[in-house]
Amino acid sequence: MFGDLSLNGQMTGIAMFALLALTLGIIFFLRNRYKNSDPELLKEKYAGNEGGSVASRNKYPEVNAFDLSSTFWGYGLATALAVTVLGFSWTKYEKPVYVPDDALFIDEEIEVEPPRTAEPPPPPPPPPPPVIEEVPEEEILEEDEPEFVDQDVEEETVIEEPEVVEEAPPPPPPPPPPPPPVEDEIFKVVEQMPRFPGCEDMAGSADEKKKCADDKMLQYIYKNLKYPAIARENGIEGRAILQFVVEKDGSVSEVNIVRDPGAGTGDAAKKVIMSMNSMPQKWTPGKQRGRPVKVLFTLPVKFELQG
């Protein structure tokens, strides 16, 4: 009966105020009625009807409030039911989110370069050239003539065998350093691109899920996007372009601003992208050959003032 009943906040407030006014009106009406009853007329009407029976304990039935107990009970139940129906029928309508036209359009002249997975170390600097110093002629001394020693060996000459000293073996070389950790490659295009959460349980093809995910992503972005006050006051519009990496677990990292219209618009868009890590569900990661991989995602955010 009340399945299709939906009331906004204003209608619910009016109905609650009407119930309260009706209840207060009934209270004041009965109070004035009992208060304005003439006791002298009631005495004359019930003169000589004093007795000890249970029925005569209430002298004047006209001013006996307990006679309306069943009526008050029924009214209370009806009021409680009405309040319950109003509470369940109160529908809070969300403000429609304005998504600009061509929200996902990217200018062709923008070159989007994927980040490098691992940057090679810079080459060592070349050695300095040797410095040749000129020696003055007066400092050049004549070399001493070599002294010749007679090394003839005769029959009586005793040659002593030199003592062989065993040297300790050299220590083993230190083990080579461990290889640097291999960083996962960041892809730009994969077989299955990352998708915004919310459409994975729907039936349909991958393209239909991608379109649904893009719509939900735009709704999220433009619902949480705060137009900077300085940009609004100066009438600055434009398209901020951001790049971020969707990790294997669906989280968002390495958010960079590729194009910034200025006046804080780029930072405002970056803040919305970073807030995606606080969502109850994460992105569906991109897949290459059936396994999740890191994917570079490029997203334009359009700032447009509404008239």
mmCIF file of all heavy atoms in Angstrom, residues 121-129:
data_model
loop_
_atom_site.group_PDB
_atom_site.id
_atom_site.type_symbol
_atom_site.label_atom_id
_atom_site.label_comp_id
_atom_site.label_asym_id
_atom_site.label_seq_id
_atom_site.Cartn_x
_atom_site.Cartn_y
_atom_site.Cartn_z
ATOM 1 N N PRO A 121 72.012 3.910 -13.712
ATOM 2 C CA PRO A 121 72.842 4.876 -12.966
ATOM 3 C C PRO A 121 73.606 5.762 -13.934
ATOM 4 O O PRO A 121 73.939 5.364 -15.055
ATOM 5 C CB PRO A 121 73.789 3.971 -12.152
ATOM 6 C CG PRO A 121 73.834 2.694 -12.924
ATOM 7 C CD PRO A 121 72.470 2.528 -13.534
ATOM 8 N N PRO A 122 73.897 6.987 -13.535
ATOM 9 C CA PRO A 122 74.636 7.888 -14.436
ATOM 10 C C PRO A 122 76.054 7.378 -14.651
ATOM 11 O O PRO A 122 76.643 6.739 -13.769
ATOM 12 C CB PRO A 122 74.620 9.223 -13.679
ATOM 13 C CG PRO A 122 74.436 8.844 -12.245
ATOM 14 C CD PRO A 122 73.585 7.614 -12.256
ATOM 15 N N PRO A 123 76.638 7.614 -15.821
ATOM 16 C CA PRO A 123 78.012 7.138 -16.082
ATOM 17 C C PRO A 123 79.012 7.883 -15.206
ATOM 18 O O PRO A 123 78.790 9.030 -14.818
ATOM 19 C CB PRO A 123 78.216 7.464 -17.568
ATOM 20 C CG PRO A 123 77.264 8.601 -17.845
ATOM 21 C CD PRO A 123 76.079 8.351 -16.968
ATOM 22 N N PRO A 124 80.122 7.230 -14.868
ATOM 23 C CA PRO A 124 81.127 7.913 -14.024
ATOM 24 C C PRO A 124 81.777 9.050 -14.799
ATOM 25 O O PRO A 124 81.883 9.023 -16.027
ATOM 26 C CB PRO A 124 82.130 6.798 -13.699
ATOM 27 C CG PRO A 124 81.984 5.817 -14.824
ATOM 28 C CD PRO A 124 80.531 5.864 -15.214
ATOM 29 N N PRO A 125 82.218 10.063 -14.101
ATOM 30 C CA PRO A 125 82.870 11.192 -14.794
ATOM 31 C C PRO A 125 84.214 10.757 -15.384
ATOM 32 O O PRO A 125 84.880 9.859 -14.859
ATOM 33 C CB PRO A 125 83.047 12.238 -13.687
ATOM 34 C CG PRO A 125 83.061 11.441 -12.431
ATOM 35 C CD PRO A 125 82.153 10.273 -12.651
ATOM 36 N N PRO A 126 84.631 11.330 -16.487
ATOM 37 C CA PRO A 126 85.928 10.956 -17.088
ATOM 38 C C PRO A 126 87.085 11.364 -16.186
ATOM 39 O O PRO A 126 86.994 12.338 -15.430
ATOM 40 C CB PRO A 126 85.938 11.738 -18.410
ATOM 41 C CG PRO A 126 85.019 12.905 -18.173
ATOM 42 C CD PRO A 126 83.964 12.402 -17.248
ATOM 43 N N PRO A 127 88.187 10.612 -16.246
ATOM 44 C CA PRO A 127 89.329 10.973 -15.386
ATOM 45 C C PRO A 127 89.942 12.290 -15.837
ATOM 46 O O PRO A 127 89.915 12.644 -17.022
ATOM 47 C CB PRO A 127 90.309 9.798 -15.590
ATOM 48 C CG PRO A 127 89.939 9.238 -16.925
ATOM 49 C CD PRO A 127 88.456 9.428 -17.057
ATOM 50 N N PRO A 128 90.478 13.023 -14.901
ATOM 51 C CA PRO A 128 91.091 14.317 -15.282
ATOM 52 C C PRO A 128 92.355 14.080 -16.136
ATOM 53 O O PRO A 128 93.057 13.074 -15.976
ATOM 54 C CB PRO A 128 91.437 14.965 -13.944
ATOM 55 C CG PRO A 128 91.566 13.816 -13.000
ATOM 56 C CD PRO A 128 90.598 12.776 -13.466
ATOM 57 N N PRO A 129 92.665 14.948 -17.052
ATOM 58 C CA PRO A 129 93.880 14.780 -17.876
ATOM 59 C C PRO A 129 95.137 14.934 -17.029
ATOM 60 O O PRO A 129 95.150 15.667 -16.023
ATOM 61 C CB PRO A 129 93.756 15.909 -18.911
ATOM 62 C CG PRO A 129 92.892 16.935 -18.254
ATOM 63 C CD PRO A 129 91.940 16.174 -17.383
#
